[in-house]
Amino acid sequence: MNELGRLEDLPQDYRDDLTKLNLVPLWPSLRALLPPGVPARATQATHWPYATLKPLLLKAGELTPIEKAERRVLVLANPGHGLENMKASPAIYLGMQLLLPGEWAPSHRHTPNAVRMIVEGEGAYTTVDGEKCPMSRGDLILTPTGLWHEHGHDGTNPVVWLDVLDLPLVYYMEASYHINGVRQTVKQGSGDRAWTRAGVVPTQVFSRSDKRYPMLRYPWVDARAALVAMAENEPDLDCVQVTYVNPETGEDAENILGFYALMLKPGQTLTLPARSPSQVFHLIEGGVDVSTCGKTFALVEADTCCAPGYEPVTLTNRSADQPAFAFIADESPLHRKLGVYETR
Ligand code: 1HN
């Protein structure tokens, strides 16, 4: 590959003339914009152990009342992107949110899509589009673009969940904004009631509900049972994984980020191929080593880590006799829709 001309090769008066007219020569930046073979990635493989984060989150509960925070969150920021940019990866925002007993995080809606993965505690709920979704460890609750949502807590202990949003992308597109609302009137249903078994969906005889997001809550008991059944049904299956989908269409649950649950059998090592999207791993149950980019993170329950795209990731269940379960979020729907999805 031949060397391209540098900015310094151009006379200063010429460069000044360009600047004055809001013009920039392409060739000095061309190789940086299009590196050979593999993209430049700012995303660093990063581990956020829950044990070190939790005391600081509880401290935030003492320091900042919910009224002063609206959402009491510590953001899991990737140092490769600059902490102030609050990105785990180019399109993924991660935050750990704390809600104390009796607190209420008021209703709003916004353009970025969110999901919550419940990390610990009982008794809290999110009301999404009028449906009151109870929160239990491992449950996945959607708050897709444009839907009203608010959080409440009738229990006795702190509740913590992981927020996953496509905020960095929507913000980058200059399309990120919110609208505050009033407390929602709760309707019948808890986000999941109509889809209790795979393969059967409500028949629509009298009127078609064309809700883009018919299912708002994916209970962990069901996802876990599906994984255990898959592993028993097909003992040679290497990747025991399910995708959280819209049960009416089979499409990804949300438009931009993809969400999955993975089971690692006792002692299993699984290498995920290098694929273009970045991904995030959050351990729901067990102990798993995550190796990528020359680093190994020893995840324990409630730990979270991320990996840049275009790198293989090897996962090892450290237990010889217990399965391990992880929640995964990635940028696959986005990459597929844009036509840049790749597996190497
Ligand atoms: C948001 O609306 C929530 O509703 C949590 O709980 C985190 C981070 C950025 C922007 C909006 C919530 C958020 C957020």
Side-chain angles (χ1 to χ4, degrees):
M1 196 162 46
N2 67 319
E3 287 286 312
L4 298 179
R6 298 168 307 163
L7 201 56
E8 307 80 73
D9 300 338
L10 297 169
Q12 190 59 50
D13 58 339
Y14 177 73
R15 289 163 62 183
D16 292 343
D17 286 347
L18 291 178
T19 303
K20 265 182 244 147
L21 293 170
N22 299 320
L23 297 169
V24 179
L26 173 62
W27 58 95
S29 304
L30 190 56
R31 294 281 185 260
L33 291 171
L34 298 172
V38 63
R41 284 141 303 153
T43 306
Q44 289 173 10
T46 306
H47 179 197
W48 295 273
Y50 187 62
T52 52
L53 179 167
K54 183 181 171 181
L56 296 170
L57 190 56
L58 292 174
K59 187 83 185 165
E62 295 167 22
L63 294 171
T64 306
I66 192 72
E67 295 75 22
K68 291 279 176 205
E70 272 180 36
R71 302 297 193 259
R72 194 189 291 107
V73 176
L74 292 181
V75 178
L76 281 50
N78 194 305
H81 286 281
L83 297 183
E84 67 286 2
N85 290 312
M86 300 195 203
K87 300 178 186 192
S89 77
I92 304 176
Y93 157 103
L94 296 176
M96 282 284 179
Q97 182 162 172
L98 170 70
L99 198 65
L100 295 172
E103 288 185 335
W104 181 62
S107 189
H108 70 184
R109 60 191 175 100
H110 42 69
T111 45
N113 297 274
V115 300
R116 318 191 189 282
M117 166 51 51
I118 315 311
V119 177
E120 68 169 318
E122 293 289 333
Y125 58 88
T126 295
T127 305
V128 189
D129 198 23
E131 292 191 46
K132 189 169 172 179
C133 304
M135 294 174 153
S136 273
R137 174 183 164 71
D139 290 353
L140 185 74
I141 297 173
L142 309 188
T143 56
T145 180
L147 297 193
W148 294 109
H149 57 281
E150 64 198 75
H151 316 304
H153 190 350
D154 298 334
T156 50
N157 290 313
V159 166
V160 176
W161 64 79
L162 177 69
D163 291 311
V164 185
L165 283 82
D166 49 25
L167 177 65
L169 178 75
V170 178
Y171 183 79
Y172 171 76
M173 294 192 304
E174 301 184 349
S176 176
Y177 71 97
H178 87 282
I179 294 174
N180 283 331
V182 294
R183 195 181 274 257
Q184 296 171 72
T185 307
V186 175
K187 300 184 285 200
Q188 276 290 329
S190 58
D192 61 347
R193 291 255 173 83
W195 298 275
T196 52
R197 291 288 183 274
V200 287
V201 298
T203 305
Q204 307 197 332
V205 175
F206 296 108
S207 63
R208 255 206 89 75
S209 145
D210 47 10
K211 280 191 174 172
R212 166 65 181 88
Y213 305 100
M215 184 167 173
L216 296 170
R217 173 170 182 265
Y218 298 73
W220 175 238
V221 284
D222 294 335
R224 191 185 190 284
L227 291 167
V228 170
M230 272 170 72
E232 283 171 7
N233 183 55
E234 208 179 328
D236 295 336
L237 187 63
D238 285 325
C239 189
V240 184
Q241 184 174 324
V242 292
T243 303
Y244 291 96
V245 297
N246 173 337
E248 300 283 352
T249 65
E251 288 168 14
D252 286 293
E254 290 186 351
N255 282 329
I256 296 176
L257 302 181
F259 307 103
Y260 318 86
L262 172 73
M263 172 177 154
L264 293 171
K265 291 175 266 191
Q268 185 184 358
T269 292
L270 173 68
T271 296
L272 303 171
R275 288 168 293 170
S276 52
S278 304
Q279 48 192 334
V280 166
F281 300 89
H282 174 80
L283 199 60
I284 298 178
E285 204 180 308
V288 170
D289 287 342
V290 179
S291 300
T292 190
C293 309
K295 297 181 188 170
T296 297
F297 305 133
L299 264 58
V300 298
E301 283 176 16
D303 280 9
T304 306
C305 71
C306 73
Y310 297 87
E311 300 288 344
V313 178
T314 298
L315 306 164
T316 302
N317 180 354
R318 291 194 297 272
S319 170
D321 49 27
Q322 296 297 320
F325 296 89
F327 167 66
I328 303 175
D330 80 359
E331 300 169 338
S332 291
L334 173 66
H335 280 227
R336 288 208 166 88
K337 284 177 177 120
L338 297 181
V340 298
Y341 184 90
E342 268 188 59
T343 301
R344 296 250 163 131

